[in-house]
DNA sequence: CAGATAAATTCACCCATATGTACGTTTGCG
DNA sequence: CGCAAACGTACATATGGGTGAATTTATCTG
């Protein structure tokens, strides 16, 4: 069950991150198609707790720096090492594709750091983006770091959906793909989840954390370059990990 | 009306900012006294939207860096100038008290930047902290920048409460205090709102924005130093504004 | 490896809460 | 300056969502 008002708070934060200027109650209500009265209650709540204020009287609400303070506090703990960002930046410019670092989140993989390709046609992803752990290269690079037991209990929670023709829709299919990945030395996915999207990924354990790096872009650009990209990936990981 | 689930999202964020480590569903539920099932729904919602993840399987949830990304985006717009932070840092070390920059938020004043005193007994405030605009020195320094019309319409929304013996509980009382502030050249408050707390504040217009700076601490330390503190305040504002 | 214990998840029902409606206030325009 | 349209706010009510209890899943313990 989704908690609507909780999701709405996030919607509002995202809204402000997008428009980057104060918004009046009416604007917000209209934008989301929410009733004025409900919007009023929500904004009042956020303002009461010190998360919104009115930069200029009657010119609308805007988030206070409180968000930043709290976000900094939570993110300063166990930050990614400096080299991981250098790694994906370097990989992105070398390959010309979007590169991300993924972490497990139940049956999903979350991107916890992303460098987007600068190509016009590219994989559009952002930090916080979530993809099914079993149907993506980044996810499977995480699964490879699980024990068989851990994987088995995860599988039971997965709802196997046929996102695309090539989506693995059984435990066996996933396990088979994992075996193949071990053989070939890297994980890959060709539109197993997102249409037209191909990805190449490898595990990236950092300390206790099980992460993965993925290079992803349109199938026609990744196509037969997977081995080459995988080599670049591994090489770069080796090179940057030391630093 | 307060939107409970919206407030709960903020509570959770604050919780993680405090404990700075992953927390399981049970821990969170117990901490807040929420039913497990409700906590489950909330955490699931936040995780579904990519705001929480599980650093290690079964080791609990933790916020993703997504919060930081969004918070940065909203805060990068119209950031406070670099000198304003230097100003309050300097003021705090000169006076030994907590110093804050306040902005209007309806009938309240929000602190949008704060440097806390290092004294054991001090004014405890944080970014996002809110105080009544009419019953605090920081608030009144904001009111001074309003036109009479704007003030009048604000007054109608204020619910005059006797927080303390000295709280102004009428429009006239507030206006009188504002006049006195103009005469003496700065705003002050002696426990008009918070018990034992004294504050000295001056307006701080930055660009189009109407802000104020306040030096606040225990009455016994501020006591008869108000004039001196006000002088330091004004001097520092002059000095740093140029930079 | 049971058996016990604790945690996570599901579900249906009833109450808290989101909303439609109405009212007061502000703003924009002629 | 007066009127209209837009905006913000209050409140009662029906209904969507939070919760307690039941069920499943994981973890501990002897």
């Amino acid at each position: 069950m989704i908690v609507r008002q909780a999701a709405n708070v996030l919607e509002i934060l995202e809204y402000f991150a997008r428009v980057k200027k104060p918004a009046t109650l009416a604007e917000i209500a209209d934008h989301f198609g929410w009733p004025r009265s409900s919007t009023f209650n929500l904004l009042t709540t956020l303002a009461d707790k010190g998360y919104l204020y009115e930069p200029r009287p009657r010119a609308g609400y805007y988030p206070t720096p409180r968000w930043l303070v709290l976000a900094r506090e939570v993110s300063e703990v166990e930050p990614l090492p400096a080299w991981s960002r250098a790694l994906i930046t370097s990989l992105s410019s070398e390959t010309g594709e979007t590169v991300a670092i993924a972490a497990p989140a139940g049956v999903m993989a979350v991107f916890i750091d992303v460098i987007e390709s600068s190509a016009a046609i590219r994989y559009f992803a952002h930090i916080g983006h979530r993809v099914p752990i079993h149907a993506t290269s980044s996810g499977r690079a995480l699964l490879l770091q699980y024990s068989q037991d851990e994987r088995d209990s995860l599988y039971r929670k997965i709802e196997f959906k046929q996102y695309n023709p090539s989506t693995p829709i059984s435990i066996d299919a996933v396990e088979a793909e994992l075996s193949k990945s071990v053989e070939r030395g890297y994980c890959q996915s060709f539109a197993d989840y997102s249409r037209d999207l191909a990805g190449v990924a490898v595990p990236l354990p950092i300390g206790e954390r099980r992460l993965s790096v993925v290079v992803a872009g349109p199938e026609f650009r990744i196509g037969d370059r997977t081995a080459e990209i995988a080599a670049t990936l591994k090489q770069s990981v080796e090179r940057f990990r030391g630093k």
Side-chain angles (χ1 to χ4, degrees), chain A residues 31-50:
Chain A
H31 175 82
F32 291 106
W34 297 339
R36 293 264 162 105
S37 46
S38 316
T39 309
F40 175 73
N41 290 334
L42 230 197
L43 294 182
T44 307
T45 301
L46 292 179
D48 273 351
K49 295 218 97 202

Side-chain angles (χ1 to χ4, degrees), chain A residues 67-79:
Chain A
W67 293 101
L68 189 58
V69 172
L70 294 181
R72 278 218 187 101
E73 281 177 30
V74 301
S75 300
E76 266 162 18
V77 182
E78 285 205 31

Side-chain angles (χ1 to χ4, degrees), chain A residues 68-138:
Chain A
L68 189 58
V69 172
L70 294 181
R72 278 218 187 101
E73 281 177 30
V74 301
S75 300
E76 266 162 18
V77 182
E78 285 205 31
L80 286 173
W83 62 260
S84 78
R85 176 144 269 259
L87 167 68
I88 60 175
T89 308
S90 155
L91 275 170
S92 177
S93 71
E94 272 186 78
T95 61
E97 301 297 346
T98 297
V99 183
I101 292 182
V107 299
M108 306 293 271
V110 215
F111 289 174
I112 60 171
D113 205 1
V114 177
I115 296 289
E116 264 196 64
S117 156
S118 55
I121 303 291
R122 63 170 184 257
Y123 179 28
F124 179 75
H126 55 83
I127 292 181
H129 193 81
R130 295 165 83 251
V131 296
I133 204 165
H134 67 289
T136 53
S137 57
S138 49

Side-chain angles (χ1 to χ4, degrees), chain A residues 5 22 28 103 200 229:
Chain A
Q5 293 294 32
I28 295 175
V200 178
I229 291 174

Side-chain angles (χ1 to χ4, degrees), chain A residues 164-230:
Chain A
N164 272 313
S166 64
T167 310
I169 45 143
S170 71
I171 295 178
D172 289 346
V174 175
E175 281 288 315
E177 181 55 36
L178 288 182
S179 301
K180 274 197 246 168
S181 301
V182 173
E183 275 175 49
R184 82 164 82 85
Y186 58 91
C187 302
Q188 65 178 33
S189 155
F190 281 94
D192 289 359
Y193 173 57
S194 300
R195 199 170 154 226
D196 304 324
L197 182 71
V200 178
V202 296
L204 183 76
I206 296 184
E208 293 281 275
R209 294 196 281 175
R210 299 149 163 187
L211 308 177
S212 69
V213 216
V214 57
V215 174
E219 284 184 291
F220 67 84
R221 278 212 303 265
I222 304 283
D224 40 15
R225 289 172 56 212
T226 54
E228 175 198 332
I229 291 174

